[in-house]
Every structure is written in structure tokens, then in C-alpha cells.
Amino acid sequence: IQQTVTNRVFLQHRRCVAPIHHRYASTQASINNEDTEQTIYADGLDQLTGLSQATRNRIRTMKQRHDEVLRLLHEGGDPTSLGKEMSTLREMSAYCEKVAEIHAERTSLEELLEETEASGDEDSKDMIDEIRDELEELQAKLQPLSRKMHKSLIPVLNPDDVEELTSSDAVIDIRAGTGGDEACLFAAEIMAGYEAIAKSGGDGGKSWDVEILSCSKTDLGGVKEASLAVSSRGGGGGSYGYESFDVSLDDKPEAEEDIAKKLLQQLGPYGFFQYESGVHRVQRVPVNDNKLQTSAVAVGVLPAIPESQVSNALPLDELKIDVMRASGAGGQHVNTTESAVRITHIPTGIMAYMQEERSQHKNRSKAMRLVAARVHSLRKQQAMQERSNARSSLMGGGDRSERVRTYNFPQDRITDHRCKVSVNGVQSWLSDGSMVGKFAPPLYQMERDDRTAALEEELEDSGKNGKKNSKI
């Protein structure tokens, strides 16, 4: 018993002392092997499974940059720009320090194990067993850290878009496609579902405002085309930003349902609805027919431009503004006052026509917001295509011509063709718009996987080019 107590005290002492000697030195120290052209790092990252060598090198670069930014801040650097960069690196740096600490403990115990085995003392058998148990415990701690570091490197929300996804309001365009009256009726159902889920705050526990910018209805109650503005009134975004909120604080992974719930709570209107863009196909028997019919509705989701920024986004010399008398049913103001407004963005040809309000001023304001959102969306898509086509190859870029979802009423099933997820109970999912929150999380995960693959490819290519240059 006395020997066991002595062994435990000794082991505890080694584990406490080891990080003091190795923790910070280990994150920087490396050994160059000229024969194999390999760099052997002593930071413990090479012990992590599930991470490629290129990914480990990227993590090391982030850790080094974190330490550099910290030094610049202590020397009086710009707290605004450096503080923002620090927020993107802080979590990864903490994980690196934890790995280095475990590596230092492990190295110390391995040295002790080697010394104890070499002694050949029969009384040291218990000591050897305890050391091996300690090593197994340390190894078990590394796998969760590997998962956390990978998710911290590639967060669910793209850092380039996180502000827009969590803060921007949304403009939703809905247009009936092939299918005649049946397509218009289905467009009205989709519109009602979007309104319902938006007013519940997109599953995030908040209530969002919904404004109908324009709506062209049929005699049967269908919708030919409509535009909705969904506003969070400043209560949309969350505060996670770059942090990987899909990993629990302890070593146990969270359930997918909890991760999805946290994601939806962080999204603003645009982030919540963005993956609704595309063609929604419905298969069902119309009320006035007895044959199965396939119809389609095109949806486009755009980030809204704040009214205070509309004038900057759309200079007047780029616009053509026409006023005219409103048409259709609507009372005495129809065909008697020039309240309708049509605004055309000359460089792109994008146009919006508004006659919903009796006031020309209000119709002009709505049309300006709609044109601004469409022009901004077009510019954003063009910029993304110039940077890379990797994301659009997987998600389709939200193109309205792409079939994204099928609502099969005879089989009572909704299938999203991008993430290959299906749910039963068409009417229940559609009526309250809950299908948006059901499909958004797996689609965000797909986009994240796409960014992961693109980063791996980029890192591998940069590593190969680096080796070529070093040989030259």
C-alpha cells in the first residue's frame, strides 16, 4: 500500500512539473531531418488522428499568428483590427496549448516508463502498470481535441459571410412556374409557410416582422409572384461568430438536434432562409382534376439592404424611374392616380414594379428596397464566382433554375435533393414553414464539408509548391 501511494505521488509530481518545462517551448521547437526533408515538431499535434499534415501545419500557423497578434497588442497595436483578428485565433490557440500540455505530460511519463523498465526491479511492476494507465488516459483526451480543432478551423458559418448570415434581413421572391393554376396555388402555400415560420423567429425564439412588398394573386387564391421582406428589427444575429458552437465544452460530442438548434438560434432572416433559393417542385392531384400533376415554384432569397444604405447602393444616375396609374382591382385610386412605380437599374437591367400602396412615395420606397436587394445579390454572386466556384458546385449557388426540393403529396414526403434528406408529413411541414428549419442545418453542414475539402486541397497544393521552391 505504501509503495502504491508513493508511486501515485511521484506520478502526480511528474505530471505537474512536465508542463512547466515543456508547455510553451514545445509549441515552437522543431527538429529538421535533412535526410528525409521532414520537420519533426514537438508541439504534440502530430499525435492527433483525423487531421492531415497540411491541416496540422495550418493550425501551427494560426497559433504562431495568435502569439504574434498578442505581442502586438501588448506593444500598443491597433486594438480594433488586431482584436478582431484575435477573436478568430483565440479558440484555436487554447486548443494548441491544451495539446502541448498533454504532450509534455506524455513525454515525461514515457521517459519515466523507459527508466522504470530499464531498472529491472521486480517491485516496479505496479509502477509500470500505473504509468501505462496514465498514458492511456492522456491518449483518450487527444481524440476529442482533434475533433474540436478541426471544427474550430472550419466553423459551421463561413467567416466571410457570418455577419450577413446572422444580421441581415431577407427579401424573398416567389414566382409560380410550370403548372398553371396549380403552381400558383402551391406558391401561395409556400408563401404562407414562410410567413408563419418568419413570425415565429425562424425557430430561434424571436418574432420577426414580415412585410408583403408585392403580390399578384389569381382568382382562385393562388399567387403568380410575390416579394416578402423579413426583418428581425435588430434582433437577428447571435454572438458566436467564429467560435465552433457545435462542439460541447466537455469531451462529449453534442447531439445533432442540439447543434441544429444552436445554429438556428444564431441565424438572422437571410441566414435562415438562404437555402430556400431554387425550384420547389410539387407532385399532387389538383382539386379540379383526377390526374397526378407536377408543378414548380421558383424562390429567390436575397440579403436586404438597410434603407439608410439604399441610396449609396443605387446612385440615381444608374436608375430609371417611371410612374404610372395602378391597374387591377383596388378601389377608386386605381386608374385615377399615378401611384404605381417601376424602377429599373440600368447597368444590370434589374427591375421592380410596385403598386401595392396608394401612396406613390411608399411604392417608390418598396421598389427601391427590392431593386437594391436584387442588385446586391447579383454583385455578390459575381464576386463569389470570381473567387471560387467550389461552393456553387455543391450548393448550386441558390440558382432559381436548380431543382432543390420535391413535395410529393401521394407519398406524403418532402425530399431535399441537395442534402438527400427526406421527411414525411408534407402538409404539416409546409403549413407552418418548419421545413425551412429542418433542411437548413444539413445544408450548412454540406457547405462546411465543401469548404473543408477546398481548404485541404489548397493546403496540399501550397505544401507541394513550397517543396518545389525549396528544392529550386
Side-chain angles (χ1 to χ4, degrees):
I1 295 175
Q2 181 65 36
Q3 184 62 40
T4 300
V5 172
T6 303
N7 291 346
R8 291 187 180 276
V9 171
F10 184 67
L11 283 174
Q12 187 64 34
H13 173 72
R14 289 292 294 258
R15 293 187 66 178
C16 292
V17 172
I20 298 176
H21 293 295
H22 295 276
R23 183 177 182 182
Y24 294 104
S26 64
T27 61
Q28 301 294 335
S30 63
I31 303 172
N32 292 319
N33 188 326
E34 296 180 357
D35 296 333
T36 60
E37 296 185 352
Q38 285 185 324
T39 301
I40 303 174
Y41 292 92
D43 53 13
L45 292 179
D46 290 328
Q47 301 177 32
L48 299 176
T49 59
L51 298 179
S52 68
Q53 188 59 49
T55 301
R56 294 189 187 102
N57 291 339
R58 175 63 176 267
I59 292 174
R60 290 185 177 106
T61 301
M62 293 177 67
K63 170 60 178 169
Q64 292 169 4
R65 179 57 183 168
H66 170 273
D67 296 343
E68 181 182 0
V69 171
L70 189 62
R71 176 182 60 79
L72 292 173
L73 284 171
H74 288 162
E75 294 176 356
D78 179 20
T80 302
S81 60
L82 292 175
K84 184 176 181 180
E85 185 177 3
M86 176 66 77
S87 69
T88 70
L89 302 169
R90 184 182 296 112
E91 187 178 58
M92 184 64 78
S93 177
Y95 289 146
C96 286
E97 291 184 3
K98 183 63 177 176
V99 171
E101 186 177 303
I102 293 175
H103 176 67
E105 293 181 25
R106 183 173 178 171
T107 300
S108 178
L109 288 174
E110 287 174 343
E111 292 174 355
L112 178 59
L113 178 62
E114 185 177 351
E115 294 171 4
T116 306
E117 290 178 335
S119 67
D121 188 353
E122 294 183 0
D123 296 334
S124 62
K125 183 179 183 302
D126 291 340
M127 181 74 163
I128 292 174
D129 291 340
E130 289 192 29
I131 295 174
R132 288 174 176 169
D133 290 341
E134 294 280 353
L135 288 171
E136 290 180 3
E137 290 180 12
L138 292 177
Q139 181 62 33
K141 292 181 179 180
L142 290 176
Q143 186 58 33
L145 280 171
S146 176
R147 183 179 67 251
K148 291 178 180 181
M149 296 178 84
H150 186 271
K151 291 188 175 183
S152 180
L153 182 64
I154 313 288
V156 174
L157 299 182
N158 191 334
D160 294 335
D161 303 328
V162 66
E163 184 174 354
E164 192 169 63
L165 295 174
T166 58
S167 303
S168 289
D169 296 335
V171 173
I172 305 175
D173 286 337
I174 303 171
R175 183 173 301 170
T178 57
D181 288 336
E182 176 62 19
C184 294
L185 291 172
F186 184 58
E189 292 181 63
I190 285 184
M191 178 177 171
Y194 288 165
E195 288 187 78
I197 193 65
K199 290 177 181 178
S200 69
D203 289 343
K206 310 180 186 74
S207 177
W208 293 339
D209 287 340
V210 180
E211 180 184 6
I212 299 177
L213 299 178
S214 65
C215 183
S216 175
K217 295 185 176 181
T218 67
D219 296 336
L220 296 177
V223 170
K224 293 181 180 178
E225 57 181 303
S227 294
L228 309 177
V230 182
S231 171
S232 65
R233 303 185 305 279
S239 59
Y240 284 112
Y242 296 96
E243 284 89 356
S244 52
F245 57 83
D246 57 333
V247 180
S248 60
L249 295 178
D250 55 25
D251 292 340
K252 297 180 180 179
E254 283 194 276
E256 290 186 9
E257 294 80 3
D258 295 332
I259 295 174
K261 184 178 179 180
K262 283 187 176 182
L263 170 62
L264 296 177
Q265 288 174 344
Q266 299 312 303
L267 298 175
Y270 173 66
F272 181 71
F273 283 103
Q274 74 155 337
Y275 286 126
E276 292 300 297
S277 291
V279 173
H280 296 243
R281 188 179 67 170
V282 59
Q283 294 176 319
R284 65 183 175 185
V285 178
V287 294
N288 58 352
D289 200 346
N290 57 5
K291 295 181 180 179
L292 183 67
Q293 180 176 324
T294 299
S295 306
V297 172
V299 176
V301 181
L302 321 170
I305 303 298
E307 290 191 45
S308 59
Q309 301 178 16
V310 169
S311 58
N312 295 330
L314 297 176
L316 287 178
D317 58 357
E318 294 183 359
L319 301 177
K320 179 184 178 183
I321 303 176
D322 300 311
V323 295
M324 60 204 71
R325 294 180 180 181
S327 61
Q332 294 181 353
H333 78 290
V334 174
N335 292 323
T336 59
T337 61
E338 292 187 337
S339 59
V341 177
R342 181 175 63 228
I343 299 180
T344 305
H345 184 244
I346 299 173
T348 61
I350 291 175
M351 183 268 291
Y353 173 79
M354 205 66 58
Q355 66 167 27
E356 300 300 307
E357 304 290 342
R358 297 192 177 192
S359 165
Q360 181 189 115
H361 176 75
K362 291 182 179 180
N363 282 328
R364 174 169 172 161
S365 176
K366 284 186 174 183
M368 286 284 285
R369 289 163 57 193
L370 196 54
V371 170
R374 290 172 177 172
V375 170
H376 173 71
S377 178
L378 177 63
R379 289 170 176 169
K380 180 182 176 183
Q381 289 178 4
Q382 291 174 341
M384 287 174 61
Q385 290 174 357
E386 290 176 0
R387 290 199 309 264
S388 172
N389 61 3
R391 182 177 177 183
S392 61
S393 66
L394 175 66
M395 304 309 300
D399 190 347
R400 295 190 192 191
S401 64
E402 178 196 12
R403 185 190 68 173
V404 295
R405 196 173 298 154
T406 295
Y407 304 73
N408 190 316
F409 276 78
Q411 298 180 13
D412 197 29
R413 183 182 68 239
I414 303 177
T415 300
D416 193 288
H417 303 290
R418 296 161 295 181
C419 60
K420 313 300 181 187
V421 173
S422 296
V423 294
N424 293 322
V426 177
Q427 199 59 56
S428 61
W429 289 103
L430 180 61
S431 60
D432 62 3
S434 54
M435 76 280 187
V436 183
K438 176 63 178 179
F439 294 117
L443 288 168
Y444 270 102
Q445 184 58 50
M446 284 188 65
E447 193 268 347
R448 178 197 213 170
D449 293 341
D450 187 47
R451 281 185 285 123
T452 300
L455 178 61
E456 290 283 354
E457 183 178 350
E458 177 186 339
L459 294 175
E460 292 291 348
D461 290 343
S462 63
K464 292 177 181 178
N465 293 334
K467 287 183 179 180
K468 290 181 181 179
N469 294 334
S470 64
K471 291 180 180 180
I472 292 174

